[in-house]
Amino acid sequence: MDNSIYESMTAANRLLEKQNIISNNLANISTTGFKEKFIFIIHNDINDDYYNNIREYYNLTSGGLDHTNRNLDVYVKGDGWLVVKDANGKEAYTKNGHLNINQKNQLTIQNHTVVGNNCSIIVPNNGTLNILSNGVIQLIQNYHNHIIKNKIGSLKLVHLPINDLIHKENGLFYLKNNSKKANYNTIKHSNDIRLQSGMLESSNVNSAQNMIELISNARQFEMQMKMISTYNQNAEYANQLININN
């Protein structure tokens, strides 16, 4: 009886974890570049020791494209990623190409400084920025009706091992600690990655699928709670019978 209650409680806890993830997916349905997350619950029975194994995975397929016509919005094509520095100074990775300029004249994404390709990117106060398909950043200035274009830096664009990625609460992706490329200095700029300016990649969350999963998990959780209640009632009846017989 106790083992049955334990199994139902374990299953209920796992369902709550799934609900949290699905709820987070739905909450970020409008977040630029967001990648939906799922978990698999694998049931194993080895040497009569029942346990659950959870495995996380991410849907890294591209979301839809939004045409913004804004020169600091970029869509990273294919399996390319933009690189930023988090609050601790570590390199992190994102598909969110909504760039801004902070008070220090640095390019940022969600207040994280954008990493350049072997350079620090400082944006001059005068002129307009143009980001080329290879990540090169040009400053366009008009001097006496003459258009002058100067390169001020280049975005660092990388390919990542998708099986070694982990998503953290700050909205950024990182390499897992056990990854062979966990040393952030080993991630090199990739010259074959291309950008499209004036566009942003939207979230790839499938709202219908996530809503179905949300309802299904809620029903399964309710079933596990009913099973626990039934086990408790049966245990009480058994104790009453034992007391009567004594």
Side-chain angles (χ1 to χ4, degrees), residues 99-163:
L99 282 74
N100 289 287
I101 303 172
N102 65 12
Q103 294 180 347
K104 297 180 181 179
N105 286 17
Q106 298 171 319
L107 286 180
T108 63
I109 296 175
Q110 294 178 311
N111 296 321
H112 300 291
T113 304
V114 174
V115 176
N117 178 23
N118 295 321
C119 66
S120 297
I121 303 172
I122 302 298
V123 181
N125 290 321
N126 55 333
T128 302
L129 291 187
N130 181 39
I131 301 177
L132 305 182
S133 63
N134 60 356
V136 170
I137 304 171
Q138 290 182 335
L139 179 69
I140 302 176
Q141 297 172 304
N142 188 339
Y143 283 108
H144 304 292
N145 295 324
H146 292 285
I147 302 299
I148 299 176
K149 298 179 180 180
N150 292 312
K151 176 182 175 180
I152 63 170
S154 180
L155 299 174
K156 183 177 181 181
L157 307 171
V158 298
H159 292 293
L160 298 174
I162 60 175
N163 293 328

Side-chain angles (χ1 to χ4, degrees), residues 16-244:
L16 283 177
E17 291 182 40
K18 289 182 69 176
Q19 289 296 75
N20 288 334
I21 289 173
I22 294 171
S23 297
N24 186 61
N25 287 341
L26 292 172
N28 285 280
I29 198 168
S30 300
T31 301
T32 301
F34 182 82
K35 302 301 180 184
E36 62 181 349
K37 175 182 176 182
F38 297 102
I39 61 173
F40 279 135
I41 299 177
I42 302 173
H43 303 284
N44 295 292
D45 189 3
I46 300 176
N47 297 327
D48 297 326
D49 182 18
Y50 181 88
Y51 66 92
N52 291 311
N53 183 18
I54 295 181
R55 294 186 181 178
E56 299 179 351
Y57 76 96
Y58 304 94
N59 176 11
L60 298 179
T61 58
S62 296
L65 297 181
D66 296 326
H67 294 263
T68 66
N69 295 321
R70 179 175 177 266
N71 61 323
L72 289 182
D73 286 340
V74 294
Y75 159 58
V76 188
K77 297 182 179 180
D79 60 350
W81 295 77
L82 291 163
V83 185
V84 298
K85 283 190 176 181
D86 66 9
N88 297 317
K90 290 185 177 181
E91 284 196 359
Y93 312 100
T94 182
K95 281 285 193 176
N96 185 344
H98 184 63
L99 282 74
N100 289 287
I101 303 172
N102 65 12
Q103 294 180 347
K104 297 180 181 179
N105 286 17
Q106 298 171 319
L107 286 180
T108 63
I109 296 175
Q110 294 178 311
N111 296 321
H112 300 291
T113 304
V114 174
V115 176
N117 178 23
N118 295 321
C119 66
S120 297
I121 303 172
I122 302 298
V123 181
N125 290 321
N126 55 333
T128 302
L129 291 187
N130 181 39
I131 301 177
L132 305 182
S133 63
N134 60 356
V136 170
I137 304 171
Q138 290 182 335
L139 179 69
I140 302 176
Q141 297 172 304
N142 188 339
Y143 283 108
H144 304 292
N145 295 324
H146 292 285
I147 302 299
I148 299 176
K149 298 179 180 180
N150 292 312
K151 176 182 175 180
I152 63 170
S154 180
L155 299 174
K156 183 177 181 181
L157 307 171
V158 298
H159 292 293
L160 298 174
I162 60 175
N163 293 328
D164 290 336
L165 292 180
I166 185 171
H167 187 251
K168 294 191 177 181
E169 293 181 357
N170 60 6
L172 303 174
F173 278 88
Y174 294 80
L175 293 179
K176 295 178 181 177
N177 291 332
N178 61 354
S179 170
K180 293 180 180 179
K181 295 186 178 181
N183 181 351
Y184 293 94
N185 293 327
T186 63
I187 304 297
K188 303 294 185 182
H189 171 82
S190 298
N191 291 319
D192 60 333
I193 297 175
R194 290 295 177 263
L195 306 175
Q196 178 67 51
S197 62
M199 302 174 68
L200 288 175
E201 179 181 345
S202 62
S203 167
N204 70 350
V205 174
N206 185 322
S207 58
Q209 179 182 348
N210 277 269
M211 284 299 299
I212 292 172
E213 287 284 336
L214 196 71
I215 296 170
S216 175
N217 287 337
R219 290 175 177 171
Q220 292 181 53
F221 180 82
E222 183 179 355
M223 181 183 69
Q224 295 297 337
M225 292 296 98
K226 288 181 178 179
M227 290 176 65
I228 292 173
S229 178
T230 300
Y231 295 147
N232 284 331
Q233 290 177 3
N234 290 340
E236 290 177 3
Y237 294 149
N239 289 333
Q240 291 176 5
L241 290 174
I242 292 173
N243 292 332
I244 292 174

